[in-house]
Amino acid sequence: MKWEVVIGLEVHTQLTTKSKIFSAASTTYGAEPNTQTAVVDIALPGALPVMNRAAVEKAIQFGLAIGAKVNRKSIFARKNYFYPDLPKGYQISQFELPVVEGGAITIQVQPAKGDPYEKVINLTRAHLEEDAGKSVHEGFHGVSGIDLNRAGTPLLEIVSEPEMRSAAEAVAYAKALYSLVTWIGICDGNMSEGSFRCDVNVSVRPEGQAEFGTRREIKNLNSFKFIEQAIKYEVQWQIDEIESGRKIQQATILFNPDTGETRMMRSKEDAHDYRYFPDPDLPPLVISEEWVDRVRSELPELPVAMQARFASQYGLSEYDARMLTASKELASYFEASVAAGADAKLAANWIMGDISATLNREEKTIADSPVSSDALAGLIKRISDNTINNKTAKDVLKKMWESGDAADVIIERDGLKQESDTGAIEAIVDAVLAANPKAIEEYRSGKEKALNALVGQVMKGSGGKANPGMALELLKKKVG
């Protein structure tokens, strides 16, 4: 039997506010336990929550960025359950009427097999809520400690429709969402600190069946690699269970990166188990048209709009424009290089080629690049004015990366200027032709590759400094 995978994501994005969603306590990460709490966060009797305006504003930003409906009135509810790190016994969240409804994100999917493709993922909602505290076990024997610094930190929970059909699509969606929330600045994206974490709902069903299978929710995945690994394991586990005659039970599960397996955490609750009801301490959240209009006017240029501009302003292909707008930092680096004098197409090629490859190899981002946008522009200008050829430029970039020196300094110091003297190149060409009569015969008999081999010999004979275009023309003239 063929199986179809059904995946939906619930992503918790921690909003970049200075204070918590219902108190004035700081949200700074890494402070001593229980030093960043207010009476609301620790649930002292009589303490009343006060809505953080900045958190609402960031939710509006997100709604506008995905083309969603920003509700002019939304309601906060109490989601009742007991955990030691939730002293109130309930979480303040939104339920029936969230601040954001609908919207969509376009993802670029690179499957393990087959060609890349594009897909639109619709969103169900995005609602504001508070985070819980944290249980602490290290340093305690036989008991658990509680750190409430995180209690009350503002979250925007973004819920997708169950429209993803593979781990590759789920990862592409998570990456697209990550790029957007960091692009508009509502989340710092620090996954290791829990600022962007995903709950993944996974089920399988026979191919062609309309009804969904029973889903299991993988909690708190904080890396794209773990999302992919957890989904692949869980899908195969569910298929094996069903084909063995067993039924899937709705459950909340955890992923263990050390074993690559998922394991049961608890049976999954339904909404009615949480006994939602409107929070009597918080009035409805009312958002005026003027507020929405102001937030819209302050939104930065969004990735889709920037892609279109890159294509029209710089003459880049759709692929180049999409790759360069994969992150705001990368797009800014490209534009700064062009502003510093680099040819746009050459800058795109170098950023997506050697620069990105080196960053990936060293597990760095463009913000960590030791070659600044100005320095890259300096290198590209020397290619454009034929001071160096592309091959030499690669060596120069490597030295720039290691030393931090400018391209001009390295070219001058190491004597790397391209040889463009016709007489000097012609002497090397003559020597190469004299030593390779077989290649000449092959070229004259129609084998074009033989000429490329001769160009390679000329470049080698010049120590890589000959102008390859001049070498090619001279070779054609002499053997043609």
Side-chain angles (χ1 to χ4, degrees):
M1 178 181 293
K2 288 188 176 180
W3 296 92
E4 184 178 56
V5 180
V6 179
I7 301 170
L9 263 66
E10 298 172 13
V11 178
H12 291 85
T13 54
Q14 181 176 321
L15 300 175
T16 49
T17 58
K18 293 180 180 177
S19 57
K20 295 183 179 178
I21 189 168
F22 299 122
S23 82
S26 172
T27 57
T28 303
Y29 180 83
E32 287 294 314
N34 298 309
T35 59
Q36 295 185 166
T37 57
V39 291
V40 172
D41 309 321
I42 60 178
L44 289 186
L48 295 176
V50 177
M51 186 72 225
N52 185 332
R53 183 180 178 87
V56 177
E57 195 146 307
K58 293 178 189 302
I60 298 172
Q61 284 180 270
F62 178 75
L64 295 175
I66 61 167
K69 176 186 177 186
V70 178
N71 284 320
R72 298 300 181 264
K73 179 180 177 182
S74 61
I75 304 294
F76 285 95
R78 291 185 178 182
K79 183 180 180 182
N80 296 276
Y81 59 98
F82 174 77
Y83 282 125
D85 56 13
L86 188 64
K88 289 196 292 286
Y90 60 85
Q91 178 190 30
I92 301 177
S93 181
Q94 294 189 307
F95 180 50
E96 290 183 329
L97 194 55
V99 65
V100 172
E101 287 185 276
I105 289 180
T106 301
I107 62 174
Q108 310 295 328
V109 188
Q110 178 61 67
K113 294 180 180 177
D115 296 328
Y117 61 92
E118 198 172 89
K119 183 173 181 178
V120 175
I121 303 297
N122 292 292
L123 275 65
T124 312
R125 57 191 275 145
H127 60 262
L128 286 162
E129 64 181 25
E130 62 179 342
D131 207 347
K134 180 182 178 183
S135 296
V136 182
H137 306 290
E138 188 175 348
F140 295 88
H141 302 285
V143 295
S144 294
I146 300 295
D147 177 9
L148 294 176
N149 278 355
R150 204 172 68 185
T153 298
L155 301 177
L156 186 67
E157 182 174 340
I158 302 164
V159 183
S160 80
E161 291 290 302
E163 297 178 339
M164 287 155 271
R165 295 293 177 264
S166 67
E169 289 189 2
V171 171
Y173 169 77
K175 286 183 175 179
L177 193 57
Y178 179 92
S179 175
L180 180 62
V181 298
T182 54
W183 185 288
I184 61 177
I186 66 169
C187 176
D188 66 16
N190 193 323
M191 298 179 79
S192 64
E193 295 177 0
S195 297
F196 186 93
R197 55 188 194 267
C198 303
D199 299 343
V200 183
N201 286 286
V202 180
S203 65
V204 298
R205 62 182 175 185
E207 199 170 80
Q209 177 179 299
E211 183 185 355
F212 288 152
T214 302
R215 74 181 190 276
R216 304 211 314 164
E217 182 182 40
I218 313 171
K219 293 289 288 184
N220 289 331
L221 295 168
N222 65 350
S223 92
F224 302 123
K225 178 182 175 182
F226 293 163
I227 292 172
E228 182 177 15
Q229 290 177 339
I231 291 173
K232 286 183 174 178
Y233 177 86
E234 178 63 20
V235 166
Q236 191 57 53
W237 183 88
Q238 291 190 19
I239 291 172
D240 290 344
E241 286 291 293
I242 296 170
E243 291 183 341
S244 299
R246 291 183 285 272
K247 289 187 177 180
I248 303 299
Q249 302 296 322
Q250 186 171 325
T252 299
I253 56 180
L254 294 174
F255 175 67
N256 185 338
D258 295 328
T259 63
E261 299 175 346
T262 55
R263 64 177 174 81
M264 180 82 165
M265 181 181 176
R266 61 176 185 267
S267 59
K268 174 69 178 177
E269 299 91 344
D270 287 314
H272 60 77
D273 293 320
Y274 291 117
R275 295 175 291 113
Y276 281 97
F277 64 86
D279 192 310
D281 292 336
L282 281 163
L285 172 61
V286 177
I287 300 172
S288 68
E289 290 289 341
E290 291 75 17
W291 193 2
V292 173
D293 289 342
R294 181 182 59 76
V295 172
R296 182 182 286 111
S297 70
E298 293 174 355
L299 273 177
E301 185 180 21
L302 296 174
V304 173
M306 189 174 281
Q307 286 172 29
R309 181 170 64 79
F310 276 15
S312 62
Q313 182 175 344
Y314 301 117
L316 300 180
S317 68
E318 183 182 334
Y319 175 83
D320 288 353
R322 189 169 67 243
M323 291 297 104
L324 290 170
T325 52
S327 75
K328 197 172 185 178
E329 291 73 20
L330 194 66
S332 297
Y333 186 92
F334 164 75
E335 289 218 280
S337 299
V338 175
D343 174 84
K345 179 56 181 170
L346 283 177
N349 290 345
W350 279 86
I351 291 170
M352 294 188 298
D354 289 61
I355 295 281
S356 291
T358 308
L359 290 172
N360 289 338
R361 190 165 56 247
E362 297 183 0
E363 297 184 344
K364 293 179 177 177
T365 68
I366 194 68
D368 305 317
S369 172
V371 176
S372 68
S373 53
D374 281 358
L376 177 64
L379 174 67
I380 291 173
K381 281 190 279 190
R382 293 300 161 258
I383 302 170
S384 299
D385 66 13
N386 287 321
T387 300
I388 56 175
N389 57 42
N390 265 314
K391 182 178 182 304
T392 302
K394 288 178 179 291
D395 296 334
V396 174
L397 178 65
K398 185 178 179 184
K399 292 177 180 177
M400 292 168 69
W401 200 277
E402 294 168 347
S403 67
D405 291 335
D408 283 347
V409 172
I410 294 169
I411 292 168
E412 192 65 33
R413 182 189 67 206
D414 297 349
L416 298 175
K417 285 185 179 177
Q418 184 169 247
E419 179 59 77
S420 296
D421 180 84
T422 304
I425 296 176
E426 189 168 13
I428 300 171
V429 167
D430 288 341
V432 167
L433 291 177
N436 295 276
K438 186 177 177 183
I440 297 172
E441 289 179 17
E442 289 176 347
Y443 175 68
R444 286 174 174 164
S445 65
K447 293 183 178 177
E448 290 288 334
K449 288 184 179 177
L451 193 63
N452 294 334
L454 290 172
V455 173
Q457 289 295 317
V458 174
M459 295 304 295
K460 183 179 179 182
S462 69
K465 293 194 285 185
N467 183 319
M470 292 179 65
L472 179 63
E473 289 305 312
L474 283 168
L475 282 166
K476 282 183 176 178
K477 182 179 176 182
K478 287 179 178 289
V479 301

